Amino acid sequence: MPKQRAIFGLRLAPRRVSFLLVLLGLFALFTLLFTLPSSIPTGPSLSKSIADHKFSIPKYKDKISSSILNPFRPASHKPPEQKNSTYGGSSWYSNWNWRSPFSSSITLDENRSLLPPLKDRAPIYCYYDTTVQRDEATKEADSELLLTWRRAWWAQGFKPIILSAAEAMNNPFYDELQRLDVEPSFKKDMMRWLAWENMGGGLLSHQYLFPMAAHEDALLSFLRRGEYPGLTRWEGLDNALFAGPKAQIGEAIVQALHNPKLKSSKDFIAAVTSDTFQVDPSHDSLAFYNTKTIETTYKKVAEEMSANRDKGLKSLNLLINFHLHNTWQDVFNNGIAVLKPMPAHTTHMIEPALNLASRLAACSDSPMPSSCPPNIRKCSPCVSSHPMKLATPARYRNTTGLYTIGTVPHPYTLRTLDTQRDNLDVAYVRREIKKRDEWLYLVFQELLGTGISGSVRVVKFKDAVAGEYATSHSLWLTGEKETVPHDLDWWFGFEIPSNATDDGKSETPVPGPERRPKPQHDPADGPVPTDDDLSREPILLDRAREVHKSKVEQDVRVRSAIEAWNLADTEAWRFAKAFLARSRVERLKWEEEESRYAGGVGSEMVKGRGGSWLRWGDDEKEED
């Protein structure tokens, strides 16, 4: 007979005793959770707090989480499309939250990249007198020099604008100037000031003044801000550069026009008092190729200009372009790094980037190859026998003096090359591909280590592409393009040579491939590809490009599956593609507008070269 237990004088079976104990436990737990105070104070108020305690139920302040991962988040409209926000299969939305790991959390569109807002470019004006009669050869030479001027200032973050007599005629002081009996040189100089004041002030530059320094130079950074508290000129530059607000420019013009000794004044500076300008002695980052400098420092060019002005101007243009290129090479004295994170299978994919690096490391043609810019007395002239160092590291390094060219592949392209398969399918993606976001992992492994998520790596990548000074220290291309953009002269600020010269003193270009520097292979970067791998790469890369453009359902499914498996790599690819596309759209729209003024002088479009960058192969009808 089972043994019975007595509780409070009652005899109960063992099963009923267990049931009763469970009920007592549940009651005690309920009491602890809902009847005791949420916090017990210390000190003499303890007994009073326990006596006066109240029942409390936890409250949730955030009833609906704002996270995009919340399934109960209410539906919302996509941000409106911005002006000029699509090109070449890319779409973007400019917003201050551009450092969000995934753009779709803001844009609500997987194919729309989140980019940083475009920086306002400080306008810098140059006056070109279109009323002077010139023959076609002179016009062409002047236009090429002005194109070099615009390209150099654009690459440094400015908006170069060429003014003409049309802007000066819109100034109320124009009629007064025409009635005055003054020196022709003063009248010509005053026309610059009238045109400048009509545009609202800012920077007024001579067409032979060029920025010759690193992008982060202190003076260039100050000028880029576009805030000039007083009328300023620079010591030793004569009339090469002025800065100031519209109000003070107008006051200076009135003072010059009402000067009793105006008839004997040769230029604007001589017609105003010495306290009109603040004189800044620091201008080491600016190179001024005035007549005096050319005659004393570049005698060969001066002789050519004396013999034939048109040929002399073209020679001067070559010299200036050589100095701009050489200055860039001196800034990046540690060489050029062409990223190659999977060295065994990505040789052909990075070939366009490597060819570009070879051209950048070569020497531009110059009438005086051993010369230095006028603002840099001691430089290291480019010599083809000792070119810049080229390397193909597998890891990204944020190193001073090192320029980086990256090729960002679509995840499908990367997997096709890495697996050496031309027929990927969804089953293979699910079962065989173990690593996610491998491209970002490999590129930033040295910088971030191994225990970092893809979302952190993609934010670091965005900083490397679009950070404060990123655009002047790196260029990021996509792996599906067979050539690099043809408008990269505007990205770097000088005309990139297509060939190298055979030594530092020769002016005759020779075919480039045999003279171009070879990249140095570091054993730590990985294995050297075999001949068999190299022979298969072009076929696999062509297949990846076909799938990338394909609209066949099977190809779309596989492409979508790989994108879903590599969200961070896909985000990086779309970000790099959209960022480069937007920079080109910005320049083209600006150049299209400016080509209507000053007779189109200094514009590539006038020469029929403005559409050259469309040859990159991604016109506006191209799809992702």
Side-chain angles (χ1 to χ4, degrees):
M1 183 176 180
K3 184 178 179 181
Q4 295 184 345
R5 299 179 183 276
I7 300 178
F8 300 115
L10 299 176
R11 294 182 179 274
L12 300 174
R15 291 182 179 179
R16 295 184 177 181
V17 172
S18 300
F19 181 74
L20 181 61
L21 291 175
V22 170
L23 289 178
L24 290 174
L26 290 175
F27 177 78
L29 181 62
F30 178 85
T31 303
L32 287 172
L33 291 176
F34 295 99
T35 62
L36 287 180
S38 58
S39 61
I40 301 178
T42 59
S45 62
L46 177 61
S47 58
K48 181 178 179 181
S49 175
I50 295 177
D52 297 340
H53 79 271
K54 299 179 181 180
F55 293 95
S56 62
I57 298 177
K59 297 181 179 179
Y60 295 94
K61 296 180 180 179
D62 244 350
K63 294 184 179 180
I64 300 178
S65 172
S66 61
S67 172
I68 194 174
L69 301 177
N70 178 21
F72 303 104
R73 178 181 178 179
S76 61
H77 292 286
K78 297 178 182 179
E81 283 200 13
Q82 299 166 330
K83 187 177 180 181
N84 300 325
S85 61
T86 58
Y87 180 79
S90 292
S91 175
W92 56 86
Y93 179 70
S94 301
N95 190 274
W96 290 109
N97 292 327
W98 64 277
R99 281 189 173 89
S100 299
F102 300 103
S103 299
S104 58
S105 64
I106 305 295
T107 64
L108 306 181
D109 184 348
E110 291 184 357
N111 296 316
R112 194 177 180 190
S113 297
L114 197 63
L115 299 182
L118 276 173
K119 296 179 181 179
D120 292 332
R121 290 176 174 266
I124 181 168
Y125 302 100
C126 170
Y127 183 81
Y128 181 75
D129 191 356
T130 55
T131 62
V132 177
Q133 295 296 322
R134 300 177 177 88
D135 56 30
E136 289 301 320
T138 303
K139 287 181 181 179
E140 182 181 354
D142 284 343
S143 184
E144 290 179 357
L145 263 170
L146 286 168
L147 176 59
T148 301
W149 177 84
R150 294 171 76 222
R151 193 164 49 210
W153 285 103
W154 177 269
Q156 290 287 358
F158 295 86
K159 184 188 292 184
I161 299 173
I162 299 174
L163 306 179
S164 66
E167 285 79 21
M169 291 177 183
N170 290 333
N171 195 298
F173 294 107
Y174 175 77
D175 292 335
E176 182 177 349
L177 174 63
Q178 299 307 310
R179 293 192 296 266
L180 295 175
D181 181 17
V182 293
E183 293 284 343
S185 59
F186 172 81
K187 189 173 184 178
K188 180 181 178 180
D189 202 17
M190 178 58 75
M191 290 288 284
R192 296 175 64 210
W193 280 76
L194 294 181
W196 182 35
E197 196 270 345
N198 180 69
M199 298 301 294
L203 294 172
L204 179 63
S205 166
H206 194 282
Q207 67 190 70
Y208 294 163
L209 182 75
F210 294 85
M212 292 274 183
H215 188 83
E216 54 271 22
D217 176 80
L219 176 57
L220 295 179
S221 299
F222 163 72
L223 297 177
R224 262 194 304 269
R225 287 196 289 268
E227 300 175 358
Y228 318 112
L231 196 57
T232 307
R233 66 182 183 90
W234 278 260
E235 183 179 351
L237 291 183
D238 299 330
N239 62 346
L241 184 64
F242 299 96
K246 179 181 175 68
Q248 294 193 22
I249 297 171
E251 293 173 0
I253 290 175
V254 171
Q255 181 188 153
L257 292 177
H258 295 167
N259 186 349
K261 300 181 181 180
L262 179 60
K263 191 172 182 178
S264 60
S265 299
K266 300 294 184 181
D267 55 28
F268 187 89
I269 296 177
V272 296
T273 58
S274 59
D275 59 351
T276 303
F277 297 98
Q278 299 176 16
V279 181
D280 192 336
S282 176
H283 53 80
D284 293 339
S285 56
L286 302 175
F288 185 30
Y289 294 83
N290 59 354
T291 303
K292 181 180 178 181
T293 299
I294 294 174
E295 291 177 350
T296 57
T297 310
Y298 312 109
K299 294 183 179 180
K300 183 178 180 180
V301 176
E303 292 172 358
E304 291 180 355
M305 294 183 71
S306 299
N308 187 314
R309 178 170 172 77
D310 302 335
K311 292 183 179 179
L313 288 176
K314 291 184 178 182
S315 182
L316 176 62
N317 190 36
L318 287 175
L319 179 70
I320 293 172
N321 187 77
F322 171 78
H323 288 165
L324 288 166
H325 187 184
N326 194 72
T327 300
W328 183 88
Q329 291 178 336
D330 285 346
V331 169
F332 298 101
N333 51 10
N334 286 332
I336 305 173
V338 181
L339 294 184
K340 192 179 181 183
M342 290 185 175
H345 301 132
T346 56
T347 301
H348 283 273
M349 187 187 75
I350 70 162
E351 187 175 358
L354 192 58
N355 288 338
L356 173 63
S358 298
R359 292 165 57 197
L360 289 169
C363 300
S364 293
D365 193 15
S366 171
M368 301 177 65
S370 59
S371 64
C372 294
N375 62 315
I376 307 174
R377 296 302 180 186
K378 294 183 179 181
C379 66
S380 301
C382 180
V383 179
S384 292
S385 58
H386 297 85
M388 292 181 70
K389 177 184 176 182
L390 290 186
T392 55
R395 311 289 183 257
Y396 171 75
R397 298 182 177 101
N398 187 14
T399 304
T400 303
L402 179 69
Y403 193 87
T404 301
I405 302 178
T407 302
V408 189
H410 186 276
Y412 185 92
T413 304
L414 187 69
R415 289 303 171 189
T416 299
L417 295 174
D418 184 45
T419 59
Q420 298 284 286
R421 292 170 57 101
D422 59 359
N423 58 345
L424 298 180
D425 53 33
V426 175
Y428 183 86
V429 173
R430 293 178 55 191
R431 297 171 184 171
E432 302 299 329
I433 299 180
K434 306 300 182 182
K435 296 180 180 179
R436 295 175 182 258
D437 307 314
E438 190 170 7
W439 187 85
L440 282 174
Y441 174 83
L442 293 173
V443 169
F444 290 100
Q445 183 177 6
E446 182 177 300
L447 198 63
L448 299 178
T450 57
I452 301 296
S453 65
S455 59
V456 176
R457 294 180 188 277
V458 76
V459 172
K460 189 65 179 177
F461 171 80
K462 291 182 178 183
D463 282 330
V465 174
E468 180 68 21
Y469 294 106
T471 56
S472 60
H473 288 75
S474 63
L475 173 66
W476 300 86
L477 309 168
T478 53
E480 290 66 44
K481 300 302 176 185
E482 298 182 22
T483 59
V484 298
H486 289 262
D487 68 332
L488 289 180
D489 295 349
W490 292 84
W491 184 278
F492 292 98
F494 51 86
E495 187 172 356
I496 304 172
S498 56
N499 295 319
T501 52
D502 63 341
D503 58 46
K505 297 181 180 179
S506 174
E507 301 176 24
T508 306
V510 296
E514 67 272 16
R515 292 288 181 177
R516 289 175 183 168
K518 303 299 181 182
Q520 299 181 13
H521 179 74
D522 187 345
D525 294 337
V528 177
T530 64
D531 292 339
D532 183 55
D533 289 339
L534 290 176
S535 64
R536 285 181 54 81
E537 278 184 25
I539 301 173
L540 295 171
L541 194 56
D542 288 341
R543 171 57 184 164
R545 287 167 178 161
E546 291 176 3
V547 174
H548 172 67
K549 299 177 181 178
S550 175
K551 295 183 180 179
V552 178
E553 182 180 357
Q554 178 64 20
D555 293 338
V556 173
R557 286 184 58 205
V558 176
R559 195 171 65 227
S560 300
I562 290 185
E563 289 178 358
W565 188 252
N566 301 274
L567 291 176
D569 275 4
T570 304
E571 174 75 12
W573 176 79
R574 289 200 176 111
F575 185 89
K577 183 181 180 184
F579 186 80
L580 186 59
R582 187 184 68 169
S583 69
R584 294 158 60 210
V585 168
E586 178 195 15
R587 188 194 66 81
L588 183 65
K589 295 295 181 183
W590 161 76
E591 188 174 5
E592 182 180 8
E593 179 182 352
E594 289 300 314
S595 64
R596 301 196 299 264
Y597 305 105
V601 66
S603 172
E604 284 188 338
M605 288 193 168
V606 175
K607 300 175 64 176
R609 296 165 54 191
S612 62
W613 55 302
L614 297 177
R615 295 196 298 265
W616 196 37
D618 60 346
D619 55 28
E620 298 201 24
K621 295 182 180 179
E622 183 182 342
E623 301 291 339
D624 268 340

